[in-house]
Amino acid sequence: MNSERIRKITEMMKENGADCLLVSDSAVIRYICGSSPESGERLIALLIRQDGDALLMLNALFSGQQPDVKTVYYNDTDDAVALLSGYLGQCGVLAVDKNWPARFLLRLQELKPDMKYRNSSAVIDRVRQIKDPDEQRKMIASSQLNDRVMTAFIPMIRAGQTETELAATVRRLYKEAGADGVSFDPICSFAGNAADPHHGPDDTAGRPGDCLVIDIGCMKDGYASDMTRTVFLGEASPRQREIYEIVKEANRRGVAAARPGNRMCDVDRAARDYIESKGFGAYFTHRTGHSIGMEDHEWGDVSSMNTDVIRPGQCFSVEPGIYLKDENIGVRVEDLVLITEDGCRVLNEVSRDLTVIPC
């Protein structure tokens, strides 16, 4: 169990008035304990007290996994929530994992009607948001691997290949490069499909003159990477070039705003203002970015609604885009930034220059 992370969590618990903290999210349990047992649909709960004492409740079916924390096992015939209730003692305020199933939470509320319940996000998510030096090294390594795969992949693209075939190639390249898997399903979207920001690969084949949005990421040593590049098959029209250069500049401006003391909404505004100034604000249809770490999407987005001040150790994406469905054009440029004491480090080094792939 990571004692330093427990210390930070218990300090945050005190600040937020939580006597106990209940965690069921596998990524958070892995963050604290180094590994997370599989539990299927059965209850799994890591209970942390303000004094740092922690125990994990786990079904006896999974006793062979031996997590690095004091563990209490229960059987299928037991009322697991009632057993958990007994360990809460005189807990007055319980911060509950936002992902804990309602069937367990509602039962606990029946058993402990006088206890106050809060969302644990203010505790756990804010601690996880700041990456320690070891996490930063792993984030950098994951992005470096992602760079190598993107660099190898782009020259392999040809007209006539389908989105599904390209996505399969990306998965193969990750495996050959030593990744532990993908951090999300690869996005390879041609032409009009590229104007759908999260289009899933299908049998659409690329044709000369198409744009191609490539949004890919991998897992390495428990940490995710994520990057998007947009390339063009055979040629890029003046209109495509215009859109690309606007998005590229919006990405640059967003990255420049990613520094301590600024707010997350300032990064969004820097990218969005530029796109709006060029007349395409209505076609930038999503937030500018998301936090990333052990999961591809973590708490703390880069949006106009997030006024949180940026702090060293945060890692998030800057990914503006313009999507013109009627013109069969979609362009997105995405990089990850790791916030330093005086600015940020961009974790992706793959060229952002407009790239035309020979057919």
Side-chain angles (χ1 to χ4, degrees), residues 140-150 174 177-179 218 220:
I140 292 167
S142 185
S143 281
Q144 289 174 338
L145 193 157
N146 205 28
D147 274 5
R148 292 197 298 273
V149 167
M150 183 73 87
Y174 278 136
C218 67
K220 181 62 177 176

Side-chain angles (χ1 to χ4, degrees), residues 191-260:
N193 292 342
D196 176 358
H198 280 169
H199 171 76
D202 60 25
D203 291 333
T204 300
R207 299 173 298 178
D210 281 351
C211 58
L212 171 63
V213 168
I214 309 164
D215 189 346
I216 61 174
C218 67
M219 298 297 300
K220 181 62 177 176
D221 295 330
Y223 284 79
S225 54
D226 189 357
M227 170 176 43
T228 306
R229 293 293 182 265
T230 303
V231 298
F232 302 88
L233 299 187
E235 61 179 348
S237 69
R239 180 64 161 175
Q240 289 172 329
R241 290 177 180 272
E242 175 193 13
I243 300 303
Y244 186 86
E245 293 300 332
I246 292 171
V247 173
K248 175 185 170 183
E249 176 63 14
N251 167 272
R252 187 196 69 77
R253 292 183 181 216
V255 168
R259 55 189 305 109

